[in-house]
Amino acid sequence: MSIQDVRKLNEIIAEPFLDEEAAIAQDDYYYYDTHFTRKDLMSEADAHFKLIKYLVTLLEWYYRLENCYIGANINVYQDPGKNQKPISPDVMLVKNLVLAREERRKLKSWKMRLKNRPAPTVVFEISLGKTWREDLEQKPAQYLKLGVKEYFSYDPNDPTVWRIEPRQRAIVRLRGWSYKNGQIEEIQLNERGWLWSEELDSWLVPDEEFLRLYDLAGRRRLTGEETAQAKLRELGIDPASL
């Protein structure tokens, strides 16, 4: 894609997404709300897209009775600098937050300088071939600075794109970090290759192209659709027959 093509695309998308003049007048304008970042210009693998969709669907059902915001690929701005490059988690969960339906509909980016925009609680990055080093080597420190509590990175690709240790025989798809008292601590995999998330109160379990959540008793957490199907099976009804 040429620079001219990118400029044309920016012109096309700018008007529907943001009235620039009004935003500037309200001191609410950020350059990358209407211009592409490097991440925007990268193609998205099928496994990448499907896992993001699955995690958002799963978390929305899991936290349906709690005050949380769950977003995907939204630009997060930490300070008022209008030309700062945002960080855009593939999936983010913000706990203890009430956003009215109208606020959610108008949400274009996450500006942490605003009163009702705290740092994400948990973030996920799904690695692509062009981003895996950044996910593992740069993002842990960036999310410490941002103020998140837990960060998880996952490689759903086949073959895996991570190249952590060339001599390592076991396939590693999942890594995680927790942030306490301003320090980074990598969460260690257990003997089964699972990670425990205190914030999600769940085991994170690699499942090839998917990343599953399990409760402490070892039961997989389900999406809303999966829960409905399980109830039908309990009644002796095959969901596929409906």
Side-chain angles (χ1 to χ4, degrees):
M1 182 178 289
S2 68
I3 294 176
Q4 290 77 12
D5 291 334
V6 172
R7 286 174 177 168
K8 287 179 181 178
L9 283 171
N10 279 326
E11 291 173 0
I12 291 170
I13 69 167
E15 182 62 29
F17 280 90
L18 181 68
D19 183 337
E20 236 173 78
E21 291 185 2
I24 292 172
Q26 297 171 13
D27 191 30
D28 198 31
Y29 172 72
Y30 282 79
Y31 177 84
Y32 285 105
D33 276 350
T34 58
H35 295 77
F36 289 113
T37 64
R38 174 174 167 269
K39 184 175 181 180
D40 293 328
L41 297 174
M42 282 191 276
S43 59
E44 191 173 67
D46 185 67
H48 186 267
F49 168 78
K50 286 183 177 177
L51 182 51
I52 290 174
K53 181 180 178 181
Y54 169 76
L55 286 173
V56 169
T57 302
L58 177 63
L59 291 172
E60 285 180 339
W61 179 253
Y62 181 27
Y63 286 102
R64 66 193 181 281
L65 301 180
E66 299 184 34
N67 295 321
C68 295
Y69 170 77
I70 296 149
N73 293 315
I74 186 169
N75 287 343
V76 178
Y77 298 100
Q78 189 173 17
D79 57 62
K82 304 306 180 185
N83 292 318
Q84 67 180 288
K85 289 186 178 180
I87 188 166
S88 304
D90 285 325
V91 178
M92 74 178 198
L93 163 70
V94 186
K95 286 185 175 181
N96 303 315
L97 178 69
V98 178
L99 283 184
R101 182 169 178 268
E102 192 63 24
E103 286 184 276
R104 290 173 182 266
R105 290 182 62 195
K106 293 180 179 179
L107 195 62
K108 302 297 187 297
S109 59
W110 196 262
K111 303 175 179 70
M112 289 175 57
R113 67 185 178 86
L114 300 180
K115 182 178 180 181
N116 201 27
R117 299 292 184 271
T121 309
V122 180
V123 295
F124 294 86
E125 294 286 2
I126 313 304
S127 289
L128 292 167
K130 295 181 179 179
T131 64
W132 73 270
R133 286 192 181 277
E134 184 178 340
D135 292 343
L136 300 183
E137 297 173 4
Q138 299 177 28
K139 291 288 179 67
Q142 290 176 351
Y143 285 126
L144 168 66
K145 182 180 178 182
L146 197 66
V148 306
K149 294 185 177 180
E150 291 181 343
Y151 161 47
F152 299 99
S153 186
Y154 191 68
D155 180 353
N157 303 281
D158 184 21
T160 56
V161 298
W162 285 3
R163 300 291 183 270
I164 304 172
E165 297 178 17
R167 297 180 181 179
Q168 186 171 283
R169 294 183 179 181
I171 296 176
V172 177
R173 293 184 181 272
L174 174 64
R175 292 180 69 181
W177 294 263
S178 65
Y179 304 91
K180 297 178 180 178
N181 301 317
Q183 299 295 318
I184 301 176
E185 180 179 347
E186 183 160 2
I187 305 170
Q188 298 303 309
L189 297 166
N190 69 4
E191 66 280 358
R192 303 177 69 179
W194 299 9
L195 287 183
W196 177 254
S197 167
E198 292 184 7
E199 292 298 330
L200 300 176
D201 192 32
S202 300
W203 287 106
L204 274 63
V205 179
D207 186 12
E208 296 185 348
E209 72 269 37
F210 286 102
L211 177 61
R212 310 291 188 181
L213 269 62
Y214 283 73
D215 65 17
L216 193 58
R219 295 173 297 232
R220 184 162 73 86
R221 299 198 186 280
L222 306 178
T223 64
E225 182 178 355
E226 290 170 336
T227 300
Q229 291 176 349
K231 289 181 178 179
L232 287 173
R233 292 191 186 96
E234 289 176 1
L235 297 172
I237 302 172
D238 181 3
S241 66
L242 299 178

